[in-house]
Amino acid sequence: ETKGRFRRGEFGSEDIVYDETTTEHRINRQATPVDEGVVATFFNALRRNIRIFHVHPTTGRQIQVSGSIPPGRSGRLIVNPKDVLIAYDGYGVAVKKFLVNADHGGKMDFSVEL
């Protein structure tokens, strides 16, 4: 389903929401007003595009939560504490795995490099 600039895809009990005109994305899990999420910024230090995937905490299934992030650019996600995220290159090779250690309302910066 697409609304305005935002596309919505369902993944279990989670909705992945992303703005097709930017690299900002959100993972919503029945958010409450107190549940602000964590701003996670990914800097691509590789010479090829990357994409970020979220690992479902129960099933281990992965879903893409970012568009393509070009070399030398950053992408921002709104995630939850303890989320596990994996950066893949354009060839589908897992480059790096990340754990969100910040609390709701916090920020984390990740660098994707070899």
Side-chain angles (χ1 to χ4, degrees):
E1 165 183 320
T2 303
K3 288 194 171 188
R5 309 184 307 173
F6 294 92
R7 182 185 304 160
R8 207 171 189 69
E10 192 169 316
F11 180 64
S13 63
E14 302 168 352
D15 284 332
I16 308 302
V17 180
Y18 61 96
D19 180 338
E20 295 176 327
T21 63
T22 70
T23 54
E24 290 194 23
H25 314 280
R26 282 185 293 144
I27 301 174
N28 290 330
R29 289 188 199 87
Q30 301 164 348
T32 65
V34 178
D35 189 3
E36 299 175 9
V38 177
V39 177
T41 302
F42 292 84
F43 176 73
N44 182 4
L46 300 177
R47 293 183 180 178
R48 55 193 180 273
N49 291 345
I50 61 166
R51 293 171 294 146
I52 307 299
F53 284 71
H54 173 256
V55 179
H56 190 279
T58 306
T59 66
R61 290 181 54 202
Q62 297 180 23
I63 186 166
Q64 183 176 332
V65 293
S66 79
S68 185
I69 303 171
R73 302 287 304 267
S74 294
R76 192 178 319 163
L77 295 165
I78 307 300
V79 297
N80 287 308
K82 307 299 180 211
D83 275 352
V84 175
L85 304 161
I86 300 176
Y88 284 90
D89 68 12
Y91 301 106
V93 176
V95 178
K96 199 166 184 181
K97 190 175 191 177
F98 305 94
L99 174 64
V100 178
N101 288 321
D103 292 327
H104 285 287
K107 296 179 180 181
M108 291 195 72
D109 294 323
F110 299 108
S111 183
V112 181
E113 55 196 39
L114 294 178

